[in-house]
Amino acid sequence: MHFTASLADILKRAVIISGTCCTSNDSIEDYLIVKSADYVGKESFPVQNWPVFEGNFKVLVLLAPGANFLVLEHHYGSSDCRSIQVELNYVPLLQVPPLHLAIMIAKDSPLLIDCPPNKRGAISSAHSDLDAAVKKFRMTAYMWQALTAEDLRSKHLGRRSFRLEEEWAEETLSREFLQNATKTRMYSTAKIHLIRSEKTVAEIRDAQVAQQNEQGQRRDDLHKYFEEALKKHGGPFVASAHPIVAGLILDSTFSAEQNLILGHAALGCSNTQGLSLGVFGSHLTYSWPRFLEEVASCLLDHKIPGDTVGNDNNECGTMWEACSIGQGAFLHEVGHAFGAPHTTGIMERGYAQDWPKAFLGGTAYCSAKNTQGITVVHGKTPNNSTWDLSDALSFSVQPHFWHPMDLPLNTENMKIEPSALVIVEDGQEDVLKLVISSPAQICQVKFNGTPEPGLSITNTVRELQFTMNELEARFDRTDALTLDVLGKNGKSRKIGNVWRLFSNVSFIRIPGSSVVLQKKSIISPKQEAKENTEHGKWDWSVLLNEKGKDGKCKNSFLYCTKLTLPSGKSNRN
C-alpha cells in the first residue's frame, strides 16, 4: 500500500488518510479495515470498514490522545489480505480557543427534525429526534475538522484546523459504543450546547423570517434570535470571550403547503470584538451520518429523499446530495464566522457536488448534474470542496489554527493589505516602477490571472518591482492588465487595470525640490478591481503652504487629482 498521510504528531482528533493499494478482479469484496490501538495494544476506537475504489481509498480516523497505532488491512478477492501499520501521535492543543457547537431549541419545541419515511422517519426516531441531531452534529463537526486539516496540509500550511470544544461524556461517534456494553463509553468528545430560545416554534417558523422567502421582511432575524439565545445562556458565549460558534436551528421544517423551508437561515457573521456565529437549519440533518460507520454510506446514498422534505436550492435530489448541501453549506457559514468572505471553493458553494471527494475514493450518481459517479478520486481529480487559498492563509494566522511551531505574529502586519504603487526611479523621473509589497510577505502575484513564477506559500517575498518597459514587453498596452496580489496573511489586493496606475501616478513631486509626496487611495476595493474606474470620480485638490523664516506662509502650491468615493455595503452573509 501507499499512503499520503504524514507519520508525525497530529494536533486535531480527526484525520483523513488516503492512499492506493493493489486492485482485484472481485471488486465486490474490495474493502479496507481500520483497527486502532494505543501503545499497549488496547483498542482505542472500534474497527471500521471503508470502501476501496479501483485501488484508491480514503479513510476518516478519530484519534485518542497519545500514541495511536493504526492497522489498515486491504481485503480483496476471496481471502487475500495485505496490511500496513501507521503510527500517529495525537497531541490535543487545549491552549488554543475552540469552535463551539450549539443547537437552538424553541421554548415549546417538539424536539424533532424533518426526516423522510425512507430514512425510517415514519416508524422510528433514530434519525429525527434531538438525540439523533446531537449525534449527527457531532459527527459532522469532526468531518469539518478533518477536511480543513487535510486541505490546509495540501496547501503547504501544515495539517492545521480548528479544535472543537470537548467534554468528558458518553461517546456517540461509533455505533459500537451504543450496541456493545463491553466497549468503553466515556471519552473526551465534542460538546454540543443545547440553547433554549425565548422564541416559540411559531415565531421561529414565521415565513417572514425564513431566509429563502423572497417576500420575507425580516430574513436576518433567525441569526439575531440565535445570538440573543447564546448571550442569555452565558458561559463561553459572553462577548468578552470572543467565541466562534456553529449554530444549528433545531426547529427548521419544510412546509409543503407553502413550498418553503421555515425556520432556516444560512447566515454567518464575524465579530472579532464579540460573538461570531454561523447558523444553519436542521432541515437536511436527517441525511447526515450519526456514526463514523455511516459516513461512507451517507455520502454514497443515491436514494430519493421524497416530497416530505425540502429540496434546498434544487440540489438535493438524492440523499448524498442532501448530506453534501447540509454539511457543506453549514461549514460555509462557519467560514463566515471565521472571517472568510465569498471567494471560491467552499465559500462559493463548491461543496454541492464535490463534498464526498474529501472523504471517499469515489462518488455516486449526481441528480443535480445528471452525471455518473467518479470511480476513482485522487489528487488530480477536480475538487471544488476546498478552501480558497486566501481563506486558508487567513485561517492559518488566527489563534484557533495555531501550531506550537508557529513564529510570533505581528498583529498589525496581519491586518495590512498588500499595496501596489507606481513610483519614480531615484534621479530618473522618466522611469516609472510598479512596486508591489506587503509587510506580511507576498506569496502570489497574478497578471491577467496567470501566477508569476517562483512565488508560493513556501517561497515568499516582501516586495516585487516591475518597470513600465518590462510590463509593456510582456503585455499589450491596448488591453486592460489585471493584477491580483495575495499576502501570506490572507489579505489580497486586486487592480482592474495596472496601466491606469501609470497614467495616474501615486506620487507628487514638489517643484524645485527633492520632496516627493506619496498619495494614498481611498477607492473602494470593488471599484479598484474594475477595469474602468473613471465613473464616479470627483476632482480634489491639496494646498501645500511653504513657511518662511518668520514662520508665516510664504508660497502656496495647488495640486489637483481625482478621488473615487467608496460605494456599496458589505453583506453579512
Side-chain angles (χ1 to χ4, degrees), residues 333-402:
E333 303 311 327
V334 174
H336 281 313
F338 277 114
H342 285 132
T343 48
T344 65
I346 290 171
M347 301 310 294
E348 195 183 34
R349 296 188 64 85
Y351 48 79
Q353 283 81 46
D354 290 349
W355 185 258
K357 295 177 182 177
F359 307 98
L360 298 175
T363 65
Y365 166 77
C366 175
S367 66
K369 299 293 185 180
N370 191 25
T371 55
Q372 295 301 315
I374 299 174
T375 56
V376 176
V377 173
H378 49 71
K380 296 183 179 180
T381 302
N383 180 9
N384 210 21
S385 186
T386 58
W387 294 106
D388 183 271
L389 180 58
S390 64
D391 297 329
L393 288 166
S394 175
F395 295 159
S396 70
V397 297
Q398 294 186 32
H400 291 72
F401 295 78
W402 176 81

Side-chain angles (χ1 to χ4, degrees), residues 200-428:
T200 64
V201 171
E203 289 175 308
I204 289 176
R205 294 180 179 176
D206 182 354
Q208 292 300 314
V209 303
Q211 189 198 36
Q212 295 182 359
N213 180 13
E214 295 182 357
Q215 283 72 48
Q217 300 298 311
R218 309 188 313 277
R219 296 176 6 173
D220 288 350
D221 278 12
L222 284 169
H223 192 277
K224 296 175 183 177
Y225 294 170
F226 216 129
E227 280 186 319
E228 293 168 358
L230 289 171
K231 291 176 180 178
K232 184 177 180 181
H233 187 85
F237 306 118
V238 295
S240 59
H242 302 164
I244 298 181
V245 184
L248 182 68
I249 305 170
L250 184 72
D251 297 288
S252 305
T253 190
F254 172 64
S255 170
E257 180 182 356
Q258 302 177 65
N259 191 29
L260 184 64
I261 300 170
L262 303 174
H264 162 60
L267 290 169
C269 178
S270 174
N271 179 4
T272 57
Q273 302 304 312
L275 170 67
S276 299
L277 172 64
V279 303
F280 200 78
S282 67
H283 57 293
L284 297 175
T285 307
Y286 66 84
S287 62
W288 301 356
R290 296 167 298 174
F291 317 115
L292 192 58
E293 291 89 346
E294 293 181 345
V295 170
S297 59
C298 284
L299 294 179
L300 294 171
D301 190 349
H302 53 79
K303 291 193 297 293
I304 299 173
D307 299 329
T308 63
V309 291
N311 188 348
D312 198 330
N313 206 44
N314 291 318
E315 293 179 308
C316 302
T318 62
M319 288 288 190
W320 79 259
E321 288 169 281
C323 181
S324 297
I325 295 296
Q327 293 183 317
F330 198 172
L331 182 58
H332 173 111
E333 303 311 327
V334 174
H336 281 313
F338 277 114
H342 285 132
T343 48
T344 65
I346 290 171
M347 301 310 294
E348 195 183 34
R349 296 188 64 85
Y351 48 79
Q353 283 81 46
D354 290 349
W355 185 258
K357 295 177 182 177
F359 307 98
L360 298 175
T363 65
Y365 166 77
C366 175
S367 66
K369 299 293 185 180
N370 191 25
T371 55
Q372 295 301 315
I374 299 174
T375 56
V376 176
V377 173
H378 49 71
K380 296 183 179 180
T381 302
N383 180 9
N384 210 21
S385 186
T386 58
W387 294 106
D388 183 271
L389 180 58
S390 64
D391 297 329
L393 288 166
S394 175
F395 295 159
S396 70
V397 297
Q398 294 186 32
H400 291 72
F401 295 78
W402 176 81
H403 274 189
M405 64 289 293
D406 288 345
L407 297 175
L409 301 176
N410 183 311
T411 305
E412 291 303 316
N413 286 352
M414 293 304 100
K415 301 176 183 178
I416 297 177
E417 295 181 355
S419 66
L421 300 173
V422 171
I423 65 171
V424 63
E425 184 72 39
D426 293 340
Q428 303 180 54

Side-chain angles (χ1 to χ4, degrees), residues 2 85 121 153 195 299 343 371 385 418-419 507 533 549 557:
H2 172 71
Q85 181 171 294
R153 182 203 64 81
I195 310 297
L299 294 179
T343 48
T371 55
S385 186
S419 66
F507 63 89
T533 59
K549 294 182 180 180
F557 306 94

Side-chain angles (χ1 to χ4, degrees), residues 97-276:
L99 172 67
H100 301 278
L101 310 177
I103 299 178
M104 185 180 74
I105 306 170
K107 65 180 181 180
D108 58 345
S109 173
L111 305 181
L112 293 172
I113 60 176
D114 283 0
C115 188
N118 61 354
K119 195 77 172 178
R120 297 201 297 170
I123 60 174
S124 170
S125 62
H127 292 274
S128 62
D129 62 7
L130 177 60
D131 185 56
V134 168
K135 292 186 179 74
K136 290 168 180 282
F137 194 8
R138 179 177 288 127
M139 188 66 249
T140 293
Y142 280 112
M143 291 172 68
W144 291 345
Q145 184 185 81
L147 178 151
T148 299
E150 181 62 17
D151 185 38
L152 267 61
R153 182 203 64 81
S154 71
K155 292 178 167 64
H156 306 288
L157 292 170
R159 193 183 294 276
R160 66 178 75 227
S161 185
F162 48 82
R163 81 173 180 92
L164 299 172
E165 180 190 12
E166 295 183 328
E167 63 176 345
W168 185 254
E170 187 175 47
E171 184 61 281
T172 66
L173 293 171
S174 171
R175 66 160 59 97
E176 288 295 313
F177 295 124
L178 306 180
Q179 297 178 349
N180 190 338
T182 65
K183 299 287 184 182
T184 302
R185 300 169 68 106
M186 300 302 292
Y187 272 73
S188 182
T189 192
K191 179 179 179 62
I192 310 293
H193 293 268
L194 303 181
I195 310 297
R196 183 68 73 171
S197 173
E198 293 184 343
K199 304 297 181 181
T200 64
V201 171
E203 289 175 308
I204 289 176
R205 294 180 179 176
D206 182 354
Q208 292 300 314
V209 303
Q211 189 198 36
Q212 295 182 359
N213 180 13
E214 295 182 357
Q215 283 72 48
Q217 300 298 311
R218 309 188 313 277
R219 296 176 6 173
D220 288 350
D221 278 12
L222 284 169
H223 192 277
K224 296 175 183 177
Y225 294 170
F226 216 129
E227 280 186 319
E228 293 168 358
L230 289 171
K231 291 176 180 178
K232 184 177 180 181
H233 187 85
F237 306 118
V238 295
S240 59
H242 302 164
I244 298 181
V245 184
L248 182 68
I249 305 170
L250 184 72
D251 297 288
S252 305
T253 190
F254 172 64
S255 170
E257 180 182 356
Q258 302 177 65
N259 191 29
L260 184 64
I261 300 170
L262 303 174
H264 162 60
L267 290 169
C269 178
S270 174
N271 179 4
T272 57
Q273 302 304 312
L275 170 67
S276 299

